Amino acid sequence: MTPSWRRSVEVSGPKPHLVLVGMMGSGKTSVGELLARRLGRPFLDSDRQVEERAGRSVAELWAAGGEAAFRDLESEVLAQALGPDTPVVVAAAGGVVLDPANRRLLGERAWVVWLRARPETLAQRLGTGAGRPLLADDPPGALRRLEAVRRPLYEEVADAVVDVDCLSPEAVVARIVELV
Ligand code: S3P
């Protein structure tokens, strides 16, 4: 399997944004911050935006309104982030690809990079999964199951893929900059 690839796309016009997708623990936030600085663009993190909007943490929101309440806000902040034409870098939450409308929007408005990691890598990075409701019991098992379901969805939306298992955030940024 090649460690990184890209589809040929125009990163301009109606697709001005760059969005990082991938599982929890794949490094979207740390890579996104560095990448945004490197590209001189504003950086938006989906979970932080959801928390600002809800006035509480992801875990609190999830406990109060269930996954559905969280997913609604997740979709809202994605649409808000990708609406304006000024290019931004977005770290999308891991589950953003579950909603077909989100996948369509990504296809229309963003150049999407999938930070692909093996479930073992994710489990090692996330430990007990604190603050992540989907990992409450058995984080390694949950990560394996979620990754299997989502892999085809990440693949569907991705314009490029970087295998991040052995790469530092700085090295991932360098790889993305080569691909853009
Ligand atoms: C989730 C990923 C988390 C957070 C929530 C649900 C998911 O975000 O949105 O715990 O469904 O994969 P990160 O991918 O930023 O960790």
Side-chain angles (χ1 to χ4, degrees):
M1 196 186 306
T2 43
S4 51
W5 52 258
R6 61 158 287 173
R7 296 190 173 117
S8 168
V9 285
E10 271 298 311
V11 195
S12 61
K15 281 167 78 91
H17 306 298
L18 199 155
V19 177
L20 303 175
V21 299
M23 289 285 292
M24 300 171 246
S26 59
K28 301 179 296 289
T29 301
S30 31
V31 169
E33 274 169 357
L34 289 171
L35 182 64
R37 216 173 301 148
R38 177 85 176 261
L39 298 177
R41 298 183 183 193
F43 171 64
L44 300 170
D45 180 79
S46 171
D47 282 353
R48 296 296 83 74
Q49 285 190 296
V50 164
E51 288 176 340
E52 272 169 32
R53 234 171 143 125
R56 45 182 146 181
S57 71
V58 168
E60 287 165 347
L61 175 63
W62 202 292
E67 181 168 355
F70 173 78
R71 297 292 174 208
D72 284 350
L73 269 184
E74 183 177 69
S75 298
E76 264 181 47
V77 301
L78 182 73
Q80 193 182 38
L82 302 188
D85 288 330
T86 308
V88 293
V89 172
V90 175
V96 81
V97 293
L98 296 171
D99 182 339
N102 291 345
R103 299 203 295 277
R104 219 169 19 251
L105 183 62
L106 286 169
E108 286 165 6
R109 298 290 292 162
W111 199 72
V112 179
V113 183
W114 173 19
L115 304 189
R116 183 169 59 185
R118 292 183 299 118
E120 298 75 26
T121 304
L122 302 170
Q124 211 168 42
R125 290 183 183 181
L126 292 170
T128 59
R132 289 179 164 95
L134 285 172
L135 302 186
D137 309 311
D138 179 26
L143 286 164
R144 263 197 314 278
R145 287 189 293 276
L146 290 169
E147 200 272 341
V149 169
R150 293 175 181 181
R151 195 183 315 136
L153 304 177
Y154 293 134
E155 176 141 23
E156 178 187 323
V157 298
D159 295 301
V161 175
V162 178
D163 280 327
V164 299
D165 297 280
C166 301
L167 297 181
S168 65
E170 289 78 9
V172 177
V173 169
R175 193 66 64 80
I176 294 171
V177 169
E178 279 168 22
L179 293 168
V180 168

